[in-house]
Amino acid sequence: MTHSLVPVAAAPSSDLAVAGSWSRALTLPPLGHLDAYISAVNRLPMLSLEEEQDAARRLRDHNDLEAAGRLVMSHLRLVVSISRQYLGYGLPHGDLIQEGSVGLMKAVKRFDPDQGVRLVSYAIHWIKAEIHEYILKNWRMVKLATTKAQRKLFFNLRSRKQGLRAEAADGDTHREVLSDAEIGLMARELNVKPEEVREMETRLSGGDVVLDPAPSDDGDDAFGPIAYLADGSHEPTAMIESAQRDQLATEGVARALSELDERSRRIVSERWLQVNDDGSGGMTLHELAAEYGVSAERIRQIEVAAMKKMRKALAAYA
């Protein structure tokens, strides 16, 4: 856990200058670990309404960093409290506090004491928004929610799902997949379509998969999805070879056939290029022998010579 209020590197670019100047003014002494930081934050004094408004006006009117420090430091316990609500996402508590602190600084920067609300009420939105953004970017490698409606559904679905599990009529609190009745109930409660609930539930229940795992300790390559997900048909070499085969099967064969005399061309076509409706081939050796008045062996000899000549023509074409 950083010793300063919030690391400058964690602040967005639009607030980098403010975060940089405030981080020099708003620091806690070296604390060693997160529990000590939280304990120190909870001992910081709260501001009365008059003190808060006075500090907010001095910041607004005179850009008083000392006043900003008093406002931020007195509300760090709020950041810690809100960040605890999001520990179920498996992200480090210190990072949640850090992102929430960025949101608190944004709130202090924009707070207007003349609006008639306390800073604590105004800052909650900014703290949660910053934590939400951090969770959506880091909970999974692939971003789960991009629109405002999806973000709202993402955070509401987890909490509502826990409630449904506790009230499960069938007593099966360990069942992972929502039933159709539960999806319909949740859709009505959240005022969304059942299809949207089902889609988000699918995204939440799925995990990240390493496509190309690292080699094991014994030096063998680990088997991963990349081994069977790769599409070899779009590999450049395979595409070139496929195009060449197609060209040989059309233009190449046509040119090779043109090198033969009429009888040899017909024998090859009937024996190798004709396909009947029932899937059978063309004429047999005996049928061609009867047509040309020669023996079947002679037809075979003509076919062999024609095929040899075609192979030479195809090799020259390739």
Side-chain angles (χ1 to χ4, degrees):
M1 182 66 190
T2 180
H3 301 325
S4 61
L5 173 65
V6 58
V8 177
S13 57
S14 60
D15 294 273
L16 190 57
V18 175
S21 59
W22 287 11
S23 63
R24 289 187 294 271
L26 316 179
T27 57
L28 292 172
L31 299 173
H33 53 82
L34 182 61
D35 291 338
Y37 173 84
I38 294 175
S39 177
V41 162
N42 288 331
R43 291 196 301 268
L44 292 174
M46 299 290 291
L47 298 181
S48 65
L49 174 60
E50 293 75 13
E51 291 173 330
E52 178 182 296
Q53 290 183 338
D54 177 67
R57 291 191 177 96
R58 285 192 287 121
L59 173 62
R60 182 192 62 188
D61 300 335
H62 306 290
N63 196 28
D64 189 333
L65 292 184
E66 182 180 352
R70 295 192 65 194
L71 292 171
V72 172
M73 299 291 276
S74 62
H75 288 81
L76 286 178
R77 67 180 66 197
L78 175 64
V79 174
V80 173
S81 175
I82 293 176
S83 66
R84 286 199 182 100
Q85 303 172 18
Y86 298 94
L87 291 177
Y89 291 94
L91 296 172
H93 192 192
D95 290 350
L96 295 173
I97 293 175
Q98 175 176 272
E99 298 301 320
S101 299
V102 174
L104 174 61
M105 294 173 71
K106 289 182 178 180
V108 169
K109 178 183 176 182
R110 295 164 174 81
F111 180 61
D112 185 355
D114 296 330
Q115 291 296 321
V117 296
R118 293 295 300 267
L119 176 58
V120 62
S121 301
Y122 181 77
I124 287 176
H125 163 77
W126 290 93
I127 296 171
K128 287 186 175 181
E130 207 69 27
I131 293 177
H132 286 183
E133 185 68 22
Y134 169 74
I135 292 175
L136 291 174
K137 287 182 178 179
N138 295 276
W139 191 58
R140 290 278 172 79
M141 186 176 298
V142 179
K143 200 168 185 179
L144 295 177
T146 55
T147 66
K148 183 177 180 180
Q150 287 177 339
R151 290 167 180 247
K152 180 179 179 181
L153 180 58
F154 172 84
F155 288 102
N156 286 332
L157 185 58
R158 282 177 59 91
S159 59
R160 299 298 177 89
K161 185 177 179 179
Q162 297 294 335
L164 286 176
R165 287 290 171 267
E167 302 170 2
D170 55 7
D172 185 6
T173 59
H174 299 287
R175 180 164 44 87
E176 292 295 332
V177 180
L178 291 174
S179 65
D180 291 339
E182 290 173 331
I183 290 176
L185 175 61
M186 197 167 297
R188 290 191 295 272
E189 289 182 357
L190 300 178
N191 195 26
V192 296
K193 297 179 180 179
E195 294 78 12
E196 296 176 355
V197 176
R198 188 174 287 107
E199 180 184 1
M200 184 58 68
E201 166 65 10
T202 302
R203 296 183 184 184
L204 289 173
S205 58
D208 293 329
V209 178
V210 179
L211 293 180
D212 192 8
S216 58
D217 295 337
D218 56 6
D220 296 333
D221 292 337
F223 181 79
I226 195 67
Y228 55 83
L229 289 179
D231 185 5
S233 62
H234 288 83
E235 196 272 329
T237 303
M239 294 177 67
I240 294 174
E241 291 176 351
S242 177
Q244 290 177 342
R245 285 195 300 269
D246 293 341
Q247 193 172 15
L248 282 174
T250 54
E251 299 177 9
V253 171
R255 180 172 297 185
L257 285 172
S258 67
E259 299 288 332
L260 304 177
D261 59 80
E262 183 178 351
R263 184 176 63 172
S264 298
R265 184 164 54 248
R266 184 164 187 273
I267 290 174
V268 170
S269 297
E270 289 292 340
R271 294 282 292 149
W272 296 96
L273 303 179
Q274 298 296 328
V275 179
N276 298 325
D277 294 338
D278 58 359
S280 61
M283 300 173 67
T284 65
L285 291 174
H286 294 282
E287 289 173 341
L288 288 168
E291 180 177 332
Y292 286 105
V294 296
S295 65
E297 176 61 21
R298 179 56 183 158
I299 295 296
R300 190 191 66 80
Q301 293 173 354
I302 295 174
E303 177 187 345
V304 171
M307 296 295 289
K308 185 182 297 185
K309 189 174 184 180
M310 287 185 64
R311 279 196 291 270
K312 290 182 180 179
L314 285 172
Y317 178 81

